Amino acid sequence: MDLKMFNSAIAQIAEEKAIPPEKVLEVAQAAISAAYKKEYGQKGQIIKADFDPKSGLMEFWQVKIVVDKDSIYSEEELAELQEKRAAAGEAHEMPLIEEEGAKKVVFNPEKHMMLSEAKKLLKDVKAGDEVKIPLPSKIEFGRIAAQTAKQVLLQKVKEVERESVIGRFKSREGEIVSGVVQRVEPRAVYLDIGKALAILPREEQVQGEFYRQEQRFRVYVLKVEDTPKGPMIYTSRIHPKLISKLFELEVPEISAGQVKIQAIAREPGFRSKIAVSSETEGVDPIGAMVGQRGTRIAAVINELGGEKIDIVEWNESPDRFIANSLAPAKILEVNLQPKNTAVAVVNKDQLSLAIGKGGQNVRLAAKLTGWKIDIKVQDEEGGEIIEMPETADGEIPTEKEGSDSGNPAEE
């Protein structure tokens, strides 16, 4: 055997499938074992191979499981089992049945060895142990045995590849990954995320966002499932945490613990509000998120296809937090009411900003704070408060609609 070529093949498979080389070697040994059994072994035997990639030496042995009288069926128990299976139409399967996890097994001389016999080979052996019996080394195999080895190799590689994908991405649930669009279908977009295929379902896509082949963007990993069709990696472009993870990449103060994202409210593809805070002296949380000349927030906005983002300062005091959340509007005062309702008072010229286009600003502020927010206008003399029909949950009259504003820190 050409060792150089063999080791090169192992390394190539490991790289292409993202599988550790030692796992590929295990798969190769399993395939060789299957070929040996097909060519030289007997039905029911457990045969294993050990190949040393450095020396090129190959060893084979038969494995037998040590059993005692308590772990095998007696003749009476076997007869009773055969009667039960005959009644169920399964009598023909009885001689081959060995139920996994069962306390007792049907003795098979090709697979089992009685404890008394095993003790002649190993003194300290006990029931349940394995005994290895060396077999003659063989390097020539027929066509059928070679075909068997090929089938085992393909099947085992597929199994190891599945385990590898699940292992790599299961730990990345709740993280973001970069992917390249492989194909676009009506109900899903399929992404290459590095030796694995991820699914972006239609319901997790941003409304109005278009996808094309070879397009690269980041997605949020929702969950990883092992299915009969293989590992399924479900991703999202609308999850609020996609934004927080993108900011973590752009803002080192977040990973350093100097800036904390307290809450996020998002209408995917249109606008988001993020509440941030900092307990570190001298650190401006909003300035850190925006970056010099808006570079940090601009990078996130570009990744989200132009979605507008408002950064507001979080405050433990509900009235202060509600006032901040309604930015870029300037709030005169916030009156807290029962049942988590708040009334925000503004001047007339700030009404459209507070409400936002289609009520978006006040709606996002309500989501961000967890309070139902009513907007009311103070009269021009600064006295009487005039009730307006606009609320976080209400319809917004056309003439009251304001323009959709960006982050105040950018202005």
Side-chain angles (χ1 to χ4, degrees):
M1 178 180 291
D2 190 331
L3 284 180
K4 188 175 181 180
M5 185 177 295
F6 181 84
N7 290 329
S8 176
I10 294 287
Q12 183 179 349
I13 294 174
E15 184 178 356
E16 289 178 356
K17 304 294 185 180
I19 302 172
E22 56 271 18
K23 283 287 186 181
V24 181
L25 182 60
E26 287 180 15
V27 169
Q29 290 177 162
I32 294 170
S33 301
Y36 188 101
K37 180 180 177 180
K38 190 72 175 178
E39 190 77 14
Y40 304 106
Q42 300 294 326
K43 196 171 185 179
Q45 287 183 339
I46 303 173
I47 293 177
K48 293 188 177 180
D50 183 23
F51 176 75
D52 188 343
K54 294 182 179 179
S55 64
L57 294 177
M58 189 178 298
E59 296 179 345
F60 297 90
W61 61 82
Q62 181 181 357
V63 176
K64 288 194 176 184
I65 302 169
V66 178
V67 295
D68 56 17
K69 291 182 179 180
D70 294 331
S71 57
I72 61 173
Y73 289 110
S74 64
E75 292 184 5
E76 293 79 9
E77 290 172 327
L78 195 57
E80 184 179 347
L81 279 174
Q82 286 174 327
E83 288 179 6
K84 288 181 179 179
R85 292 195 175 273
E90 301 174 353
H92 62 287
E93 295 182 9
M94 189 57 223
L96 303 178
I97 287 296
E98 184 175 337
E99 297 178 2
E100 187 178 350
K103 292 182 179 179
K104 293 187 177 183
V105 296
V106 178
F107 183 80
N108 183 340
E110 295 294 346
K111 187 179 292 187
H112 304 117
M113 178 181 286
M114 294 302 298
L115 182 61
S116 57
E117 291 296 320
K119 283 187 175 293
K120 295 177 183 179
L121 302 176
L122 298 169
K123 292 182 180 180
D124 298 332
V125 73
K126 57 183 182 295
D129 290 349
E130 292 184 350
V131 173
K132 294 182 179 180
I133 303 172
L135 296 172
S137 293
K138 303 288 184 180
I139 57 173
E140 295 181 0
F141 301 98
R143 182 182 61 83
I144 296 177
Q147 186 66 24
T148 299
K150 181 180 178 181
Q151 291 174 352
V152 171
L153 182 65
L154 294 174
Q155 180 184 348
K156 292 287 185 182
V157 165
K158 193 172 181 179
E159 290 175 1
V160 173
E161 186 180 10
R162 174 186 300 210
E163 292 173 3
S164 175
V165 169
I166 292 173
R168 280 188 294 127
F169 289 99
K170 189 71 176 176
S171 60
R172 300 197 67 178
E173 287 182 348
E175 299 292 332
I176 59 173
V177 295
S178 180
V180 178
V181 176
Q182 291 295 297
R183 67 179 189 271
V184 180
E185 295 184 358
R187 297 191 60 82
V189 174
Y190 292 85
L191 309 167
D192 180 358
I193 57 174
K195 311 294 184 183
L197 203 63
I199 302 170
L200 179 62
R202 186 175 182 179
E203 58 271 19
E204 296 296 333
Q205 298 172 17
V206 175
Q207 184 180 358
E209 196 170 59
F210 296 96
Y211 308 99
R212 63 183 185 279
Q213 283 190 338
E214 302 303 321
Q215 180 183 359
R216 178 180 290 275
F217 53 81
R218 290 187 174 99
V219 290
Y220 180 82
V221 180
L222 288 173
K223 60 181 177 179
V224 180
E225 292 183 352
D226 188 11
T227 70
K229 294 182 179 180
M232 293 289 190
I233 304 170
Y234 294 95
T235 62
S236 173
R237 285 280 289 175
I238 65 173
H239 201 286
K241 284 190 176 180
L242 174 63
I243 295 181
S244 63
K245 294 297 180 181
L246 289 173
F247 271 108
E248 285 180 21
L249 295 177
E250 299 294 334
V251 183
E253 287 87 347
I254 295 178
S255 56
Q258 296 175 334
V259 173
K260 184 176 181 181
I261 296 177
Q262 297 284 359
I264 298 175
R266 187 182 182 199
E267 293 188 356
F270 299 99
R271 191 173 184 174
S272 294
K273 283 184 180 287
I274 303 177
V276 296
S277 65
S278 176
E279 296 181 358
T280 304
E281 188 177 351
V283 175
D284 173 19
I286 294 179
M289 296 288 282
V290 174
Q292 189 175 13
R293 297 183 180 179
T295 53
R296 292 176 177 178
I297 194 171
V300 176
I301 289 173
N302 289 337
E303 178 64 40
L304 297 175
E307 182 176 317
K308 295 179 180 179
I309 301 175
D310 291 345
I311 310 294
V312 303
E313 189 169 1
W314 180 81
N315 197 293
E316 290 183 356
S317 175
D319 55 342
R320 292 285 301 278
F321 185 26
I322 291 169
N324 292 344
S325 70
L326 287 167
K330 295 178 181 178
I331 309 302
L332 297 176
E333 62 177 313
V334 175
N335 300 316
L336 302 181
Q337 307 290 330
K339 298 182 180 179
N340 248 38
T341 299
V343 177
V345 182
V346 298
N347 284 327
K348 191 173 182 179
D349 62 350
Q350 294 294 307
L351 178 61
S352 60
L353 280 178
I355 296 170
K357 187 176 182 179
Q360 188 180 68
N361 192 59
V362 68
R363 188 166 59 247
L364 283 172
K367 289 180 182 178
L368 190 72
T369 61
W371 287 71
K372 180 180 178 182
I373 303 173
D374 292 338
I375 306 295
K376 294 186 178 181
V377 175
Q378 185 169 268
D379 70 358
E380 294 179 359
E381 286 74 26
E384 183 183 357
I385 295 176
I386 305 170
E387 292 193 11
M388 303 299 293
E390 298 83 6
T391 69
D393 302 318
E395 293 294 331
I396 312 300
T398 305
E399 65 271 18
K400 298 293 183 182
E401 290 186 356
S403 60
D404 203 4
S405 173
N407 182 55
E410 295 178 90
E411 299 178 351

Short mmCIF file of all heavy atoms in Angstrom, two decimals, residues 83-108:
data_model
loop_
_atom_site.label_atom_id
_atom_site.label_comp_id
_atom_site.label_asym_id
_atom_site.label_seq_id
_atom_site.Cartn_x
_atom_site.Cartn_y
_atom_site.Cartn_z
N GLU A 83 -41.98 -19.62 20.71
CA GLU A 83 -43.43 -19.80 20.63
C GLU A 83 -44.14 -18.44 20.51
O GLU A 83 -45.07 -18.28 19.73
CB GLU A 83 -43.93 -20.53 21.88
CG GLU A 83 -43.56 -22.00 21.91
CD GLU A 83 -44.05 -22.69 23.17
OE1 GLU A 83 -44.77 -22.03 23.96
OE2 GLU A 83 -43.71 -23.87 23.38
N LYS A 84 -43.66 -17.46 21.30
CA LYS A 84 -44.26 -16.12 21.25
C LYS A 84 -44.06 -15.49 19.88
O LYS A 84 -44.98 -14.88 19.33
CB LYS A 84 -43.64 -15.23 22.32
CG LYS A 84 -44.06 -15.57 23.74
CD LYS A 84 -43.42 -14.61 24.74
CE LYS A 84 -43.87 -14.94 26.16
NZ LYS A 84 -43.23 -14.03 27.15
N ARG A 85 -42.87 -15.65 19.33
CA ARG A 85 -42.59 -15.05 18.02
C ARG A 85 -43.31 -15.80 16.90
O ARG A 85 -43.69 -15.21 15.91
CB ARG A 85 -41.09 -15.02 17.77
CG ARG A 85 -40.38 -14.04 18.71
CD ARG A 85 -38.98 -13.73 18.23
NE ARG A 85 -38.37 -12.72 19.07
CZ ARG A 85 -38.49 -11.43 18.90
NH1 ARG A 85 -39.22 -10.98 17.91
NH2 ARG A 85 -37.90 -10.58 19.71
N ALA A 86 -43.49 -17.10 17.09
CA ALA A 86 -44.24 -17.87 16.09
C ALA A 86 -45.68 -17.40 16.05
O ALA A 86 -46.28 -17.26 14.97
CB ALA A 86 -44.17 -19.36 16.43
N ALA A 87 -46.23 -17.12 17.23
CA ALA A 87 -47.61 -16.63 17.30
C ALA A 87 -47.73 -15.25 16.67
O ALA A 87 -48.77 -14.88 16.12
CB ALA A 87 -48.08 -16.58 18.76
N ALA A 88 -46.63 -14.49 16.73
CA ALA A 88 -46.63 -13.13 16.15
C ALA A 88 -46.13 -13.12 14.71
O ALA A 88 -46.02 -12.07 14.09
CB ALA A 88 -45.75 -12.21 16.99
N GLY A 89 -45.83 -14.33 14.17
CA GLY A 89 -45.36 -14.41 12.80
C GLY A 89 -43.91 -14.00 12.62
O GLY A 89 -43.49 -13.62 11.54
N GLU A 90 -43.11 -14.10 13.69
CA GLU A 90 -41.71 -13.67 13.62
C GLU A 90 -40.74 -14.81 13.94
O GLU A 90 -39.58 -14.58 14.25
CB GLU A 90 -41.47 -12.54 14.62
CG GLU A 90 -42.33 -11.33 14.40
CD GLU A 90 -42.15 -10.30 15.50
OE1 GLU A 90 -41.46 -10.62 16.48
OE2 GLU A 90 -42.70 -9.19 15.36
N ALA A 91 -41.22 -16.04 13.83
CA ALA A 91 -40.38 -17.17 14.23
C ALA A 91 -39.10 -17.26 13.42
O ALA A 91 -38.05 -17.66 13.93
CB ALA A 91 -41.17 -18.47 14.09
N HIS A 92 -39.17 -16.86 12.14
CA HIS A 92 -37.98 -16.98 11.28
C HIS A 92 -36.86 -16.04 11.70
O HIS A 92 -35.70 -16.23 11.36
CB HIS A 92 -38.37 -16.69 9.83
CG HIS A 92 -38.88 -15.30 9.61
ND1 HIS A 92 -40.13 -14.90 10.04
CD2 HIS A 92 -38.31 -14.21 9.04
CE1 HIS A 92 -40.31 -13.62 9.72
NE2 HIS A 92 -39.23 -13.18 9.13
N GLU A 93 -37.19 -15.01 12.50
CA GLU A 93 -36.17 -14.05 12.93
C GLU A 93 -35.50 -14.46 14.23
O GLU A 93 -34.47 -13.91 14.60
CB GLU A 93 -36.80 -12.66 13.12
CG GLU A 93 -37.34 -12.05 11.84
CD GLU A 93 -37.91 -10.67 12.09
OE1 GLU A 93 -37.74 -10.15 13.21
OE2 GLU A 93 -38.54 -10.13 11.18
N MET A 94 -36.06 -15.45 14.92
CA MET A 94 -35.62 -15.76 16.26
C MET A 94 -34.13 -16.07 16.38
O MET A 94 -33.46 -15.53 17.26
CB MET A 94 -36.46 -16.94 16.80
CG MET A 94 -36.23 -17.22 18.27
SD MET A 94 -36.56 -15.77 19.27
CE MET A 94 -35.17 -15.85 20.38
N PRO A 95 -33.55 -16.93 15.54
CA PRO A 95 -32.14 -17.28 15.73
C PRO A 95 -31.20 -16.08 15.61
O PRO A 95 -30.07 -16.14 16.10
CB PRO A 95 -31.88 -18.29 14.61
CG PRO A 95 -33.22 -18.83 14.27
CD PRO A 95 -34.16 -17.68 14.44
N LEU A 96 -31.63 -15.02 14.94
CA LEU A 96 -30.76 -13.87 14.72
C LEU A 96 -31.04 -12.72 15.67
O LEU A 96 -30.32 -11.73 15.66
CB LEU A 96 -30.93 -13.37 13.27
CG LEU A 96 -30.66 -14.40 12.17
CD1 LEU A 96 -30.90 -13.76 10.83
CD2 LEU A 96 -29.25 -14.94 12.27
N ILE A 97 -32.09 -12.85 16.49
CA ILE A 97 -32.49 -11.74 17.35
C ILE A 97 -31.51 -11.59 18.52
O ILE A 97 -31.16 -12.55 19.18
CB ILE A 97 -33.92 -11.96 17.89
CG1 ILE A 97 -34.93 -11.75 16.78
CG2 ILE A 97 -34.21 -11.00 19.06
CD1 ILE A 97 -34.95 -10.33 16.25
N GLU A 98 -31.07 -10.36 18.71
CA GLU A 98 -30.27 -10.02 19.88
C GLU A 98 -30.62 -8.59 20.24
O GLU A 98 -30.07 -7.64 19.71
CB GLU A 98 -28.78 -10.15 19.57
CG GLU A 98 -27.91 -9.88 20.79
CD GLU A 98 -26.45 -10.13 20.49
OE1 GLU A 98 -26.16 -10.88 19.55
OE2 GLU A 98 -25.61 -9.56 21.20
N GLU A 99 -31.61 -8.42 21.09
CA GLU A 99 -32.16 -7.11 21.37
C GLU A 99 -31.16 -6.24 22.14
O GLU A 99 -30.61 -6.66 23.14
CB GLU A 99 -33.46 -7.24 22.16
CG GLU A 99 -34.55 -7.98 21.38
CD GLU A 99 -35.81 -8.14 22.20
OE1 GLU A 99 -35.83 -7.64 23.33
OE2 GLU A 99 -36.76 -8.76 21.70
N GLU A 100 -30.96 -5.03 21.61
CA GLU A 100 -30.04 -4.09 22.24
C GLU A 100 -30.59 -3.64 23.59
O GLU A 100 -31.74 -3.27 23.72
CB GLU A 100 -29.85 -2.87 21.33
CG GLU A 100 -28.78 -1.93 21.84
CD GLU A 100 -28.58 -0.76 20.90
OE1 GLU A 100 -29.13 -0.80 19.78
OE2 GLU A 100 -27.88 0.18 21.28
N GLY A 101 -29.74 -3.68 24.60
CA GLY A 101 -30.16 -3.25 25.92
C GLY A 101 -30.86 -4.34 26.72
O GLY A 101 -31.19 -4.15 27.88
N ALA A 102 -31.08 -5.51 26.11
CA ALA A 102 -31.74 -6.59 26.83
C ALA A 102 -30.78 -7.20 27.86
O ALA A 102 -29.58 -7.22 27.67
CB ALA A 102 -32.21 -7.67 25.85
N LYS A 103 -31.35 -7.70 28.94
CA LYS A 103 -30.51 -8.31 29.97
C LYS A 103 -29.95 -9.64 29.49
O LYS A 103 -28.89 -10.07 29.92
CB LYS A 103 -31.32 -8.50 31.25
CG LYS A 103 -31.71 -7.19 31.93
CD LYS A 103 -32.47 -7.45 33.21
CE LYS A 103 -32.85 -6.14 33.89
NZ LYS A 103 -33.61 -6.37 35.13
N LYS A 104 -30.69 -10.31 28.61
CA LYS A 104 -30.26 -11.60 28.11
C LYS A 104 -30.20 -11.58 26.58
O LYS A 104 -30.94 -10.83 25.94
CB LYS A 104 -31.21 -12.70 28.57
CG LYS A 104 -31.17 -12.93 30.08
CD LYS A 104 -32.00 -14.14 30.47
CE LYS A 104 -31.90 -14.41 31.97
NZ LYS A 104 -32.65 -15.62 32.35
N VAL A 105 -29.29 -12.41 26.03
CA VAL A 105 -29.14 -12.48 24.58
C VAL A 105 -29.21 -13.94 24.15
O VAL A 105 -29.01 -14.86 24.95
CB VAL A 105 -27.79 -11.87 24.13
CG1 VAL A 105 -27.75 -10.39 24.45
CG2 VAL A 105 -26.61 -12.59 24.76
N VAL A 106 -29.48 -14.13 22.87
CA VAL A 106 -29.42 -15.46 22.29
C VAL A 106 -27.96 -15.77 21.98
O VAL A 106 -27.30 -15.00 21.27
CB VAL A 106 -30.27 -15.54 21.01
CG1 VAL A 106 -30.17 -16.93 20.39
CG2 VAL A 106 -31.72 -15.20 21.31
N PHE A 107 -27.43 -16.82 22.54
CA PHE A 107 -26.01 -17.14 22.38
C PHE A 107 -25.69 -17.43 20.91
O PHE A 107 -26.36 -18.21 20.24
CB PHE A 107 -25.63 -18.34 23.23
CG PHE A 107 -24.16 -18.67 23.18
CD1 PHE A 107 -23.26 -17.96 23.94
CD2 PHE A 107 -23.69 -19.69 22.34
CE1 PHE A 107 -21.90 -18.25 23.88
CE2 PHE A 107 -22.34 -19.98 22.28
CZ PHE A 107 -21.44 -19.26 23.04
N ASN A 108 -24.64 -16.77 20.42
CA ASN A 108 -24.16 -16.96 19.06
C ASN A 108 -22.66 -17.24 19.16
O ASN A 108 -21.88 -16.37 19.57
CB ASN A 108 -24.41 -15.71 18.23
CG ASN A 108 -24.00 -15.88 16.78
OD1 ASN A 108 -23.19 -16.75 16.44
ND2 ASN A 108 -24.53 -15.04 15.90
#
